[in-house]
Amino acid sequence: MPELERLWTIIPISEDRAEGATEIWVRDDLGARATMHHKLNRLTAEGRIKRISRPMPSGGEVHLYYRAAE
């Protein structure tokens, strides 16, 4: 299975279960962390997954990724 397809299958389904890139990277070890961010951004640009931003308690924000329920 191509790597982007494998990544797409492990992205959580529904906004309630969305995860950050680092969580996905640690759980599934699909290469370098920066590469994971690049691949997630590519899937987002293609419209295959969604990205939402949430504020962090310490300031800044975190991007969370999920697939829409079909």
Side-chain angles (χ1 to χ4, degrees), residues 20-34 36 40:
T22 301
E23 294 168 298
I24 296 167
W25 174 71
V26 167
R27 181 173 40 110
D28 295 295
D29 191 28
L30 291 174
R33 191 167 122 180
M36 173 67 70
L40 289 169

Side-chain angles (χ1 to χ4, degrees), residues 19-65:
E19 292 182 333
T22 301
E23 294 168 298
I24 296 167
W25 174 71
V26 167
R27 181 173 40 110
D28 295 295
D29 191 28
L30 291 174
R33 191 167 122 180
T35 302
M36 173 67 70
H37 283 277
H38 175 75
K39 290 175 183 174
L40 289 169
N41 287 334
R42 181 174 170 187
L43 288 172
T44 301
E46 292 173 359
R48 297 183 64 196
I49 64 174
K50 309 278 186 193
R51 176 178 49 217
I52 54 175
S53 298
R54 295 284 190 248
M56 294 179 62
S58 59
E61 59 183 28
V62 63
H63 297 291
L64 303 173
Y65 299 88

